[in-house]
Amino acid sequence: MLLLHCPLLLLLLPLGSRPQKFPTRDEELFQMQIRDKAFFHDTSVIPDGAEISSYLFRDTPKRYFFVVEEDNTPLAVTVTPCDAPLEWKLSVQELPEEASGEGSGDPEPLEQQKQQITSEEGTELFSYKGNDVEYFVSSSSPSGLYQLDLLSTEKDTHFKVYATTTPESDQPYPELPYDPRIDVTSLGRTTVTLAWKPSPTASLLKQPIQYCIVINKEHNFKSLCAVEAKLSSDDAFMMAPKPGLDFSPFDFAHFGFPADNNSGKERGFLKPSKFGRQTFSKPRVDLHKVCIGNKNIFTVSDLKPDTQYYFDMFAVNTNTNMSTAYVGTFARTKEEAKQKTVELKDGKVTDVFIKRKGAKFLRFAPVSSHQKVTFSVHSCLDAVQFQVRRDGKLLLSQSVEGVRQFQLRGKAKAKYLIRLKGSKKGASMLKILATTRPNKQSFPSLPEDTRIKAFDKLRTCSSVTVAWLGTQERNKFCIYKREVDDNYNEEQKRREQNQCLGPDTRKKSEKVLCKYFHSQNIQKAVTTETIRGLQPGKSYLLDVYVIGHGGHSVKYQSKLVKTRKFC
């Protein structure tokens, strides 16, 4: 059995005195002491069957003791380095014959135990140097005073020690399967799927085991202790995900993605559970740990393309909180698919469709020398991000909603690369025109305000009167009406706000009239129109289209009106 003792350097049992019988973990006193964490704090005692955590200063050795009272006792000692390699040695000294008998069970005072110190060096049983989790195991150990010496020559570091005289029955560390490797079963540009065989501790012994995944871009880890040491300044530990939910454990600013400081935001990283991660005030590390219950297959997502990641898996016994590392693996995500570049022709309108959160690249290479380049962009739905680079240099980056026109200074033999990034809300549609001819304008000019105003006091049972703004440029305006149900709402109207759909998509019966209009005084560029022949108490959706000289049209914001029911 493994016995406790408390000297700080070396220990001599007093010769000629009655030997102390150290409390074992089966005795009430030991149970009291093991519950009192302060009893073992910063002492040189290794308790039987309990893992201790401690700290080493660089180049400052530390020594621990324990006593094995009987010969042929099984013994197992495990040393876990955390964030630095360790040098450690286990040795044993024989107990004096006078100390081998049965004791009274009453512990001697600690100061009395320190009265005599031996100068003898014990017999070395085992030594190791490195950062692996290393074990000394013996099925038949002699009785004696055992001492464990530890040293860190690299830096101050944490470590853990576990010793037991009943290794067969204890089994605090989860057992690894016969094949302890992590397999990469699927690899994509932003995803990696991992699978591993379950721990026999869970499948055969039915002990509560959960698996914790660690992802980083630097190297594999040999212990969970090493992971915790790395994460000591970044509280990145997660709760187990709830079954059936998508899972989003952390912010991928660490992996090249934009930071999002909202802890409640969903940023899918591991599946199939989703929840937000807390934000931190301390500097973050490129390392993340999440415990995912007893699943043995998981998909890591939202990774950066063409990047190497290291994956480690730890089986954790939730009863003892002690863990065992699987053999880690690494994988490089696939390269980002190369975007096809659309060639723009001078003076020709090009239609572009962009998926939600997607991007499109266009290229404009004028065939002749030019003084200016004009880009006209018509975003049909939500706003899009519009960027222009000339020969690799960023010239323009703006959000575009509705119709916008940009004019840049030209350069001989220049090539322009246009990047269009879609909306987060949904797919984007737009029309784009690039030209070196400043008078070539396919899109009509628009006022800043494209709303249609309805006059409630002029509303009758059969007509409504509306007004809209124009510009100093003479354009053709066409107004259309469509009867809608009374439950037609703003959400339905929003879905129909594709400004690129022109009058040619409307029924002839919906057309009210077309007219030309402009004003040199922009303050007076307002026109009104009364729509007649409507039914009492009915709702109508009104649309105004402005048509440019090139034949392209832009739709104003739709207006929902309703005639009076009684007049």
Side-chain angles (χ1 to χ4, degrees):
M1 85 188 107
L2 186 70
L3 301 176
L4 306 177
H5 211 62
C6 298
L8 297 176
L9 294 175
L10 288 171
L11 175 70
L12 242 188
L13 296 177
L15 297 178
S17 63
R18 188 172 185 179
Q20 173 193 1
K21 182 177 185 300
F22 296 95
T24 69
R25 57 181 164 173
D26 296 325
E27 298 179 2
E28 182 179 353
L29 177 59
F30 180 82
Q31 293 298 333
M32 178 273 292
Q33 292 170 335
I34 201 71
R35 286 193 297 268
D36 183 7
K37 294 183 179 180
F39 181 80
F40 293 115
H41 177 66
D42 201 25
T43 74
S44 298
V45 176
I46 299 178
D48 188 0
E51 186 178 59
I52 63 169
S53 299
S54 192
Y55 193 80
L56 274 175
F57 292 103
R58 183 170 67 90
D59 294 330
T60 304
K62 206 164 195 177
R63 178 170 289 175
Y64 288 85
F65 299 92
F66 58 88
V67 173
V68 174
E69 192 180 53
E70 300 177 0
D71 287 331
N72 303 317
T73 298
L75 178 64
V77 178
T78 302
V79 177
T80 303
C82 292
D83 48 349
L86 294 181
E87 298 178 22
W88 63 275
K89 178 180 71 174
L90 182 67
S91 56
V92 61
Q93 294 184 40
E94 290 186 3
L95 288 173
E97 292 184 5
E98 292 85 350
S100 60
E102 278 295 316
S104 65
D106 298 324
E108 291 180 343
L110 185 59
E111 292 302 319
Q112 195 173 333
Q113 294 177 7
K114 296 179 182 177
Q115 289 177 358
Q116 300 186 39
I117 297 180
T118 181
S119 60
E120 296 180 11
E121 288 293 328
T123 302
E124 183 176 315
L125 300 176
F126 183 81
S127 65
Y128 173 76
K129 181 179 180 180
N131 59 357
D132 283 326
V133 179
E134 195 55 69
Y135 312 86
F136 170 79
V137 180
S138 174
S139 60
S140 180
S141 297
S143 62
L145 172 65
Y146 287 74
Q147 65 184 42
L148 177 67
D149 296 287
L150 302 105
L151 177 67
S152 172
T153 59
E154 188 173 297
K155 64 176 183 178
D156 301 348
T157 183
H158 294 273
F159 66 93
K160 294 185 178 183
V161 176
Y162 174 80
T164 179
T165 55
T166 54
E168 290 298 322
S169 60
D170 281 5
Q171 296 185 346
Y173 295 97
E175 185 180 349
L176 290 177
Y178 68 91
D179 182 2
R181 295 173 299 179
I182 304 172
D183 295 321
V184 177
T185 60
S186 177
L187 190 64
R189 293 190 299 274
T190 60
T191 61
V192 174
T193 300
L194 306 172
W196 57 94
K197 293 178 176 60
S199 166
T201 305
S203 57
L204 299 179
L205 301 180
K206 305 301 182 184
Q207 292 190 26
I209 297 295
Q210 71 169 343
Y211 299 100
C212 296
I213 300 172
V214 174
I215 307 99
N216 80 105
K217 296 194 291 183
E218 296 178 0
H219 56 77
N220 288 110
F221 288 86
K222 298 182 178 181
S223 70
L224 202 52
C225 176
V227 174
E228 291 166 352
K230 182 76 171 176
L231 286 169
S232 60
S233 63
D234 187 0
D235 185 18
F237 293 79
M238 308 294 166
M239 298 167 51
K242 296 180 180 179
L245 299 177
D246 283 331
F247 179 40
S248 171
F250 66 88
D251 185 337
F252 259 87
H254 305 40
F255 296 113
F257 289 82
D260 188 345
N261 289 326
N262 292 331
S263 59
K265 291 272 185 174
E266 297 176 353
R267 296 178 290 276
F269 169 64
L270 296 176
K271 296 179 179 178
S273 314
K274 180 179 277 182
F275 57 85
R277 176 178 189 265
Q278 292 181 350
T279 58
F280 310 99
S281 58
K282 297 181 180 180
R284 301 183 180 185
V285 293
D286 287 352
L287 169 70
H288 299 273
K289 168 202 165 194
V290 62
C291 298
I292 47 88
N294 58 5
K295 306 177 190 300
N296 64 334
I297 185 169
F298 233 78
T299 296
V300 185
S301 63
D302 279 353
L303 301 176
K304 191 176 180 180
D306 193 26
T307 303
Q308 182 158 297
Y309 293 92
Y310 294 85
F311 304 95
D312 291 291
M313 178 62 58
F314 300 93
V316 182
N317 187 325
T318 56
N319 282 342
T320 64
N321 204 31
M322 296 165 78
S323 60
T324 306
Y326 279 66
V327 177
T329 189
F330 61 89
R332 177 173 289 274
T333 50
K334 293 183 179 180
E335 292 184 9
E336 186 71 80
K338 292 184 178 180
Q339 290 273 3
K340 290 184 178 179
T341 303
V342 178
E343 293 287 342
L344 295 178
K345 294 183 179 180
D346 197 331
K348 184 178 179 181
V349 175
T350 301
D351 295 310
V352 181
F353 175 81
I354 308 172
K355 293 181 180 179
R356 178 176 174 268
K357 294 184 179 180
K360 282 287 178 69
F361 292 89
L362 302 92
R363 182 175 175 271
F364 180 52
V367 295
S368 59
S369 61
H370 54 283
Q371 292 184 338
K372 293 182 179 180
V373 175
T374 302
F375 293 97
S376 299
V377 184
H378 181 192
S379 178
C380 308
L381 299 170
D382 295 311
V384 296
Q385 192 68 24
F386 178 71
Q387 286 186 349
V388 179
R389 292 179 184 271
R390 183 178 63 202
D391 301 330
K393 182 180 179 181
L394 182 64
L395 301 179
L396 177 69
S397 181
Q398 293 221 3
S399 178
V400 175
E401 192 169 6
V403 176
R404 293 286 301 276
Q405 190 176 88
F406 306 97
Q407 196 169 76
L408 304 175
R409 182 178 297 176
K411 185 178 179 181
K413 298 181 180 179
K415 294 180 176 59
Y416 301 86
L417 181 67
I418 300 97
R419 181 179 184 265
L420 300 166
K421 185 170 177 58
S423 168
K424 294 181 180 180
K425 298 178 182 178
S428 301
M429 295 174 60
L430 55 96
K431 295 177 180 289
I432 183 168
L433 170 78
T435 182
T436 58
R437 292 168 284 176
N439 296 327
K440 181 74 174 179
Q441 294 186 13
S442 293
F443 299 137
S445 59
L446 288 174
E448 290 186 5
D449 190 349
T450 58
R451 292 175 298 176
I452 303 171
K453 177 178 175 58
F455 297 96
D456 185 66
K457 290 183 178 180
L458 300 179
R459 189 166 54 102
T460 71
C461 293
S462 60
S463 68
V464 293
T465 300
V466 294
W468 64 90
L469 298 177
T471 66
Q472 293 173 317
E473 180 183 334
R474 188 170 186 269
N475 286 317
K476 182 181 179 180
F477 293 87
C478 294
I479 186 165
Y480 283 73
K481 71 176 190 320
R482 177 165 64 92
E483 185 177 334
V484 294
D485 296 332
D486 288 339
N487 57 1
Y488 187 88
N489 54 39
E490 289 297 321
E491 176 62 24
Q492 289 173 288
K493 187 175 75 171
R494 191 191 68 81
R495 288 200 298 265
E496 296 179 4
Q497 287 298 312
N498 186 344
Q499 290 186 339
C500 295
L501 295 178
D504 54 326
T505 62
R506 304 296 296 260
K507 297 178 181 178
K508 289 184 178 181
S509 59
E510 296 176 348
K511 183 177 179 180
V512 177
L513 59 85
C514 290
K515 69 177 184 179
Y516 286 90
F517 164 71
H518 77 288
S519 176
Q520 293 300 324
N521 186 349
I522 194 66
Q523 303 296 329
K524 296 182 179 180
V526 181
T527 185
T528 59
E529 197 64 45
T530 299
I531 296 98
R532 307 180 188 280
L534 307 179
Q535 298 297 316
K538 297 293 182 180
S539 297
Y540 294 88
L541 193 68
L542 302 182
D543 288 307
V544 171
Y545 298 88
V546 54
I547 303 168
H549 301 300
H552 294 282
S553 63
V554 179
K555 184 162 72 75
Y556 278 47
Q557 298 179 41
S558 299
K559 180 66 176 178
L560 186 64
V561 296
K562 188 174 184 178
T563 56
R564 296 187 185 277
K565 194 171 184 179
F566 303 103
C567 294

